[in-house]
Amino acid sequence: MTNRRGFLRRALSMGAGLATVPALAEGASRAGQQSLREPTGGNAGPLSQSAAAIKMGAHTSTAGHAPVRVVTTDVPDLAFTLEDGWKVFRLRAEVIRREILPGKTLDLWGFNGSAPGPTIQVTEGDRVRVILENRLPEPTSMHWHGFEDSIRFDGMPGVSQRAVPPGGTYTYEFHITQTGTFFYHSHLAMQEMVGMLGGFIMHPRQAHAPAVDYDFLVHLQEYAVLPNNTVPNSAEMEFNWLVLNGKSGPAPTPLVVRLGSRVRIRFVNLGMDHHPMHLHGHTFYVTGTEAGRIPETAWWPGNTVLVGVAQARDVEFLANNPGDWMLHCHLPHHMMNQMNSSTSRAFSGDTLTSNGMISAGANGAGMKHGNATEQGAMAGMMMSGMNRLEIAPNANEVHGFPQDAFMEGPLMNMDAMVDKPENFGLPPGWSENMQGMMTFVRVLPAEQYDEVMRRVAAHADGAKGHDDTPGMDHSMPAMDHAMPGMDHSMPGMDHAMPGMDHSTMPGMDHSKKPGMQMPAQDGGKR
């Protein structure tokens, strides 16, 4: 009975996002993941400890224990099976649909129904096999970013392997000797720009000291989507949709932690822009890169970390300051949605100046959005809050006006549209200034934290039996993938690799013939 009560207490205090992240696929073994702890919170010691205590290693209550499982909010984990001592993961490269914001759905390329792809979690010492199946209309290959392993599994097409043709498979095998934040992505450059990225976490056998109570992974991606289109233009150099774990503000699920806990956030960036990621209200230490953990003597403190293209950065901090704290990219245009000088005007009377700026027309709006449907929806949200704006009587006479008054969100209340248990307790209207790469780290006192987690658990129970991953739309139009004469052109993308013979490469299985039909997308819980 005591053990049961203890289990229930631990279940109630699980970290944020556990109910948001779909469970492992039905029938998949979790035996190999039993060594990972679930987020618990509340083990960090006295609140009087400063952030420097992280570097000093003051928190040792779970040192030497198993690492905590990484949570990738709004993105599932990838299932595995145990086969003759190998953890076997099956990864499908495929076309998917992803709702990045209510009313805004993109056609992307991803993995197993998700973009970014599902997170793979393994432990130091594991033997891992990943079977890649290509359901795309063109060849692909998979690079394992940061791995120190055999050249034949590096994923560089034409060098370490032949690209995997449509309908083909390739098997990658790894002996896990590293630890840290790594990731996988297509090694065909334009495919990277339409969503083909996923996290690969190598846990140490025992948790690093000081041990953390919560461990989150946050992917940084960007898309260029032209007006009246749902397919990113992978040749574009200007990006108007910036996403965290595939969601644009205010849609990302916040990172909810208990006051007094220790937190690690792992950032992964795969795109064309660097991202200075800033956390309000706390000082963190940078403890890891895409090469693994940094020696403690080299950790450095800050509240903003620059995550360059193709880089990973791990930060750790003591969550000792209660509140709903912003976590966001600090590039100004990355804190907006649809920030692109090539998109269409939202309201008649606005004019595009020679430098790409919008000047206010008769209505004084000076704001831009995409297609007519989006414009109408956005205009409705704007009109609903028009009376709340405080604009100076002579505003139109001031050089530079308008800036934030109409470009961002004071008129766009989306609280109800993005409602979820993790948002419980946020002030009314919180969503009005949340766009682009913006989310929260919610550091909650015990009573409020427990209430949020109770709602998360209740929501998860209510969602059982439903097949759709939150925010994912997998209803694909009829697609014909017959190989002869097919035209799979995407704007700015040409990955044809003529003259390649795929019949002799080790690891390649061509039992699945071209001419396949696109299977139903898997939106089930994992």
Side-chain angles (χ1 to χ4, degrees), residues 358-372:
I358 285 289
S359 63
N363 57 14
M367 181 177 176
K368 297 179 297 176
H369 293 281
N371 59 40

Side-chain angles (χ1 to χ4, degrees), residues 35-38 40 43 57 59-70 122-124 179-180 201-215 262 264 266 287 293 296 299 316:
S35 60
L36 298 180
R37 291 184 294 118
E38 296 297 341
T40 57
N43 292 326
H59 172 41
T60 57
S61 62
T62 53
H65 291 197
V68 67
R69 185 173 68 88
V70 169
V122 300
T123 302
E124 182 182 12
T179 63
I201 306 300
M202 299 185 190
H203 293 280
R205 289 188 179 92
Q206 294 184 336
H208 294 299
V212 297
D213 303 299
Y214 302 91
D215 200 338
R262 292 187 183 277
R264 178 185 296 124
R266 308 168 186 250
T287 61
R293 193 160 179 87
E296 289 188 29
W299 294 357
E316 299 178 21

Side-chain angles (χ1 to χ4, degrees), residues 93-158:
E94 60 189 1
V95 180
I96 67 112
R97 304 194 75 193
R98 174 73 160 177
E99 183 185 76
I100 65 171
L101 190 70
K104 186 65 179 179
T105 298
L106 301 183
D107 292 290
L108 304 173
W109 291 12
F111 302 95
N112 296 62
S114 180
T119 301
I120 296 175
Q121 301 197 47
V122 300
T123 302
E124 182 182 12
D126 282 347
R127 294 191 298 169
V128 174
R129 180 179 296 136
V130 182
I131 302 172
L132 172 67
E133 177 188 355
N134 184 11
R135 295 187 183 181
L136 298 173
E138 64 184 27
T140 192
S141 71
M142 202 56 48
H143 175 58
W144 308 89
H145 201 99
F147 284 33
E148 299 172 359
D149 217 293
S150 170
I151 181 62
R152 68 189 181 118
F153 299 131
D154 185 58
M156 177 60 192

Side-chain angles (χ1 to χ4, degrees), residues 322-454:
D324 300 316
W325 299 105
M326 290 298 305
L327 176 65
H328 64 96
C329 176
H330 221 297
L331 289 178
H333 286 189
H334 293 187
M335 294 185 283
M336 302 178 187
N337 293 332
Q338 273 287 41
M339 185 58 187
N340 189 315
S341 62
S342 65
T343 53
S344 61
R345 293 171 291 146
F347 300 102
S348 61
D350 297 340
T351 57
L352 186 65
T353 65
S354 60
N355 65 355
M357 294 286 291
I358 285 289
S359 63
N363 57 14
M367 181 177 176
K368 297 179 297 176
H369 293 281
N371 59 40
T373 301
E374 293 165 354
Q375 293 173 17
M378 205 63 72
M381 285 186 281
M382 289 185 69
M383 294 303 113
S384 68
M386 185 65 76
N387 294 331
R388 292 185 290 108
L389 277 181
E390 297 178 0
I391 302 299
N394 65 337
N396 284 323
E397 301 171 12
V398 177
H399 294 296
F401 176 83
Q403 293 293 332
D404 289 325
F406 290 96
M407 285 304 297
E408 293 197 48
L411 296 170
M412 305 177 196
N413 188 322
M414 301 180 70
D415 293 9
M417 300 175 72
V418 296
D419 184 45
K420 61 186 70 174
E422 292 86 349
N423 295 341
F424 175 74
L426 290 172
W430 66 268
S431 64
E432 294 178 354
N433 288 283
M434 299 283 289
Q435 296 194 32
M437 287 184 166
M438 303 177 77
T439 189
F440 292 111
V441 174
R442 305 193 65 196
V443 180
L444 304 181
E447 184 176 351
Q448 186 179 358
Y449 175 87
D450 289 344
E451 176 59 23
V452 169
M453 289 301 102
R454 185 191 66 79

